[in-house]
Amino acid sequence: MTATAPSEAPLAVPAAATTGSPAARAGRPRRPRPARDPRATAAAVALAVPVPVLALVLWKLGVQNAWTLPFGIKMAFVPAPEDVLRRIVDITVGGVFDDAFSGSLWEHLAASTGRVLSGFGLAALCAIPLGVLMGRFRAVFRMLDPLLNVVRPIPVTAWAPLALLIIGFGDRSTIFLVFLAAFFPILLNTIAGVRRVPERLLEAAAMLGTRPAQVLTNVVLPGAMHSIVGGLRIALGLSWVILVVGETVGISTGLGSMITQARDMSKTDLIVAGMVVIGLAGFLADRLLAGLVTLVTRGRPTLS
């Protein structure tokens, strides 16, 4: 890619206007944020509520009538929704069952959240720069793609026994498993996003004399942001999925550990309560990530 001298460019457009510098943004009229339509919000809520309510009703009926579902699922052994709700209240504030798990939710949730964020953050720090390089430079892609395609199909659950042997029990093996689960979705989406950046943007940056490193940070990375954010959201969900596997052995505090102890004690209501908490934590984490991206890219809606 040959850069054209600024003096030879057909239009003398300031480089700052294309790099999104503070000076350029200061002179740019601020785009008003669209106001939320209350009717659209009400319609979204009206569409989102019935399905969970129906699922709860079917769950209750299935337990009462001891249904047998496909795959041999015997609803007679599943706790009723009100039992799970009581257990959630007990592990949150205590005072219902008064056992070893009463009021322990926040300790378990904090430990699990720390492991998820550590593994997910490390994966993002490694996968995004590597994905940009692999998507932009064919030689880097050809050099790394065969090895990554061999490692990628290995299930994270298959890594768990090896991680315990070579890393040992504790937080680090769990964080390593979360890192593995989150790394490849971010990497693959970053590569795909970088390759979809229009070539004319790269040519325009070259004509304006933008340095190669600045092309990556100011043109390629923003152009691939949609795909990168999609990969981050998938990876964050997988991080919570694999958390239970990582906390099954050698961990005394964490949602996965709580579920494992509940299984050993045949407390099905506690198992389902832990599953519900993980689902809610994953949902909240996804909403926070989407909100953070919107906040960081404020004024540039095409990036979020």
Side-chain angles (χ1 to χ4, degrees), residues 162-174 249:
L162 182 62
L164 291 175
L165 291 174
I166 62 177
I167 299 177
F169 298 105
D171 289 343
R172 287 185 297 179
S173 60
T174 304
V249 180

Side-chain angles (χ1 to χ4, degrees), residues 24-80:
R25 290 198 298 270
R28 189 182 304 165
R30 193 178 185 83
R31 180 177 301 182
R33 301 182 65 179
R36 289 187 176 181
D37 185 356
R39 289 178 299 180
T41 303
V45 173
L47 288 174
V49 168
V51 173
V53 171
L54 178 62
L56 285 173
V57 171
L58 292 176
W59 178 5
K60 175 71 175 176
L61 292 175
V63 173
Q64 283 182 343
N65 298 286
W67 289 350
T68 299
L69 302 181
F71 303 103
I73 300 174
K74 299 178 177 60
M75 293 296 292
F77 298 118
V78 177

Side-chain angles (χ1 to χ4, degrees), residues 66-255:
W67 289 350
T68 299
L69 302 181
F71 303 103
I73 300 174
K74 299 178 177 60
M75 293 296 292
F77 298 118
V78 177
E82 61 270 20
D83 295 334
V84 175
L85 180 60
R86 278 200 299 270
R87 177 59 75 174
I88 291 176
V89 172
D90 181 67
I91 61 177
T92 304
V93 297
V96 180
F97 298 101
D98 289 330
D99 57 15
F101 298 98
S102 299
S104 63
L105 173 64
W106 304 112
E107 181 183 5
H108 291 299
L109 183 60
S112 295
T113 302
R115 293 174 189 126
V116 166
L117 293 181
S118 299
F120 172 77
L122 286 174
L125 286 176
C126 296
I128 293 176
L130 184 59
V132 171
L133 294 177
M134 291 181 67
R136 187 75 185 97
F137 302 105
R138 192 171 295 276
V140 178
F141 179 82
R142 289 177 175 171
M143 185 169 59
L144 297 177
D145 184 61
L147 175 62
L148 292 174
N149 272 317
V150 170
V151 176
R152 183 167 60 88
I154 301 175
V156 176
T157 50
W159 284 92
L162 182 62
L164 291 175
L165 291 174
I166 62 177
I167 299 177
F169 298 105
D171 289 343
R172 287 185 297 179
S173 60
T174 304
I175 293 172
F176 173 70
L177 295 177
V178 173
F179 169 83
L180 283 178
F183 178 79
F184 289 104
I186 301 174
L187 178 68
L188 295 180
N189 277 273
T190 302
I191 294 173
V194 169
R195 288 184 169 177
R196 283 200 292 266
V197 174
E199 194 65 28
R200 64 178 183 279
L201 291 181
L202 304 175
E203 295 172 354
M207 291 175 62
L208 293 169
T210 308
R211 296 177 179 176
Q214 291 178 321
V215 171
L216 292 180
T217 58
N218 298 337
V219 179
V220 174
L221 196 58
M225 188 59 72
H226 271 301
S227 185
I228 294 174
V229 172
L232 289 173
R233 295 183 65 181
I234 295 172
L236 186 57
L238 286 175
S239 299
W240 285 100
V241 170
I242 211 64
L243 176 72
V244 176
V245 177
E247 292 182 340
T248 299
V249 180
I251 297 287
S252 59
T253 305
L255 295 173

